[in-house]
Amino acid sequence: MSPRPPIPLSQLTGPSDPERRFRLMEIVRRVLRERRYSVRTEQAYVYWIRRFILSNGRRHPAELGADEIRAFLSDLAVRERVSASTQNQALAALSFLYAHVVRRPLASVDDIAPARRSRHLPVVLSPNEIRTVLARLDEPYALAVRLMYGSGLRVLECVRLRVKDIDLERREIVVREGKGGKDRRTPLARACVVPLRARLAHVSTLAAHDRCEHIGTTGLSESLRRKYRDIDHDWRWRYLFAASRTFMAPDGIRRRHHLHETVLQRALRAAVVASGITKRATCHSLRHSFATHLLESGADIRTVQELLGHSDVRTTMIYTHVLNRGGLGVRSPGDDL
């Protein structure tokens, strides 16, 4: 008998074979990509769908029903004691599986409701605390912190910034494909202009070096590469915070990714500890501080919602509870003591 050909890693990397039947997880990945889900969402959904199948003896989801789904979600909460957001993510993955792959939506299943998240007040740093942290950061981490605070960026939105997204003349930043795949504009702080010019000069020098060494960038779709043949070597598409190391991509081209978000998170954590700040501040605390300080300065809640990229104003309303005026905006009777 002739040896069987090796099984491709996925339906996207193997040779075309019209007679070949895709496995379930390959179909899941295919549908996720057809619907333009992000890479991280794809990874999370595939993880939970695989766990659900393994917990039921590798049976096909079409053979499983509401009882198995309810038992799986309950086990996460009771035995593993996962957070409400984790349980909701697992439910979203299974809802996607049955709605778009098995084609049997879960709408008719009773007693499956997403767990409610605890409403914790966000950690907000004062302007003086942010200045203290900045004094203990080197570049480019100090610039990244200025951008996250001054423009309300998420940490991934910050490290994924490209040269073309920075407009120094209008002093604004265009956030491409933020959470939910949405673009938005946000202001650029005046204090960021000078360090940004220095950073752009560094990126230009690095891009010239990468062009000579035939080093491309990452995060560009195949359709963009087909439309703009020289996009890999166009410095406008380079990351503002590029990684110091390169890697060999599956297509055989050496590429340079953006700075990993954990590097920035560790740098900020060390600066917060060195500053003696007792608050449990993270990179996302800078975004919370951006929204809170805008509201304190008199900005409209709808404007803040737009700048943050929130779909629902109720998400933005959380910042009204952390204003310096107090929960209800009243004057404390203790002020007269």
Side-chain angles (χ1 to χ4, degrees):
M1 295 178 61
S2 59
R4 295 178 60 186
I7 298 176
L9 295 178
S10 74
Q11 77 276 10
L12 302 180
T13 58
S16 177
D17 184 4
E19 300 299 325
R20 177 173 173 269
R21 296 181 62 185
F22 294 130
R23 297 180 178 181
L24 174 65
M25 299 312 298
E26 290 179 337
I27 298 175
V28 170
R29 288 192 176 92
R30 188 185 187 96
V31 176
L32 283 165
R33 296 178 190 183
E34 286 174 350
R35 294 177 173 273
R36 301 295 192 271
Y37 280 74
S38 69
V39 174
R40 296 201 170 201
T41 302
E42 177 184 333
Q43 293 171 347
Y45 279 22
V46 167
Y47 169 79
W48 287 116
I49 291 171
R50 181 178 285 116
R51 278 198 57 177
F52 174 66
I53 294 172
L54 291 176
S55 68
N56 287 279
R58 296 179 179 272
R59 294 166 62 193
H60 195 281
E63 302 174 5
L64 306 174
D67 292 338
E68 290 81 7
I69 296 171
R70 190 180 300 109
F72 176 73
L73 295 175
S74 298
D75 185 68
L76 290 178
V78 176
R79 186 175 64 84
E80 299 190 23
R81 296 183 180 274
V82 301
S83 65
S85 59
T86 301
Q87 187 185 24
N88 289 341
Q89 187 184 71
L91 174 58
L94 296 182
S95 299
F96 174 87
L97 171 68
Y98 279 90
H100 303 295
V101 178
V102 181
R103 302 298 177 90
R104 197 178 71 203
L106 296 178
S108 60
V109 179
D110 297 328
D111 301 329
I112 295 183
R116 294 184 178 180
R117 294 186 181 184
S118 300
R119 297 293 289 180
H120 297 296
L121 291 179
V123 175
V124 176
L125 298 174
S126 69
N128 285 334
E129 289 173 331
I130 294 175
R131 293 189 195 99
T132 305
V133 170
L134 284 171
R136 286 164 173 79
L137 284 171
D138 297 326
E139 296 294 350
Y141 309 121
L143 174 59
V145 167
R146 285 189 178 95
L147 291 174
M148 285 188 289
Y149 169 65
S151 303
L153 303 180
R154 300 177 177 91
V155 60
L156 273 177
E157 293 171 346
C158 181
V159 296
R160 287 175 178 172
L161 283 175
R162 300 183 189 269
V163 172
K164 65 181 184 62
D165 301 328
I166 309 296
D167 191 339
L168 294 178
E169 295 298 325
R170 294 172 58 93
R171 285 205 293 117
E172 67 179 20
I173 294 175
V174 180
V175 179
R176 303 289 183 184
E177 296 185 6
K179 190 173 182 180
K182 297 176 293 185
D183 293 357
R184 72 178 191 277
R185 296 181 186 271
T186 186
L188 174 63
R190 192 183 305 275
C192 295
V193 173
V194 173
L196 260 177
R197 292 189 189 278
R199 187 64 190 173
L200 290 173
H202 169 77
V203 175
S204 178
T205 303
L206 184 61
H209 169 269
D210 287 352
R211 186 182 184 94
C212 294
E213 298 295 329
H214 304 288
I215 299 174
T217 188
T218 61
L220 302 177
S221 64
E222 290 302 320
S223 57
L224 271 176
R225 296 185 193 279
R226 287 193 300 268
K227 185 174 182 179
Y228 305 108
R229 296 292 183 180
D230 199 44
I231 193 172
D232 264 322
H233 303 297
D234 188 341
W235 89 288
R236 293 172 297 180
W237 289 87
R238 291 284 166 161
Y239 290 115
L240 184 65
F241 300 104
S244 58
R245 298 181 180 180
T246 60
F247 70 99
M248 188 62 70
D251 57 6
I253 299 176
R254 183 162 292 279
R255 299 190 181 280
R256 189 184 300 277
H257 199 44
H258 58 69
L259 182 72
H260 200 273
E261 63 272 17
T262 56
V263 178
L264 181 54
Q265 289 167 341
R266 286 196 297 265
L268 178 64
R269 188 180 306 118
V272 170
V273 172
S275 302
I277 297 174
T278 57
K279 298 175 182 176
R280 190 175 175 273
T282 63
C283 288
H284 212 66
S285 301
L286 299 169
R287 178 173 161 89
H288 294 325
S289 304
F290 166 81
T292 303
H293 296 166
L294 276 181
L295 290 172
E296 287 177 342
S297 64
D300 179 75
I301 187 71
R302 293 288 184 178
T303 302
V304 177
Q305 175 194 0
E306 182 179 351
L307 294 177
L308 293 175
H310 289 161
S311 300
D312 194 334
V313 72
R314 288 177 296 181
T315 307
T316 318
M317 289 293 291
I318 186 66
Y319 299 112
T320 62
H321 299 289
V322 291
L323 298 179
N324 288 340
R325 295 188 301 270
L328 298 176
V330 298
R331 182 172 174 269
S332 171
D335 291 343
D336 296 331
L337 297 179

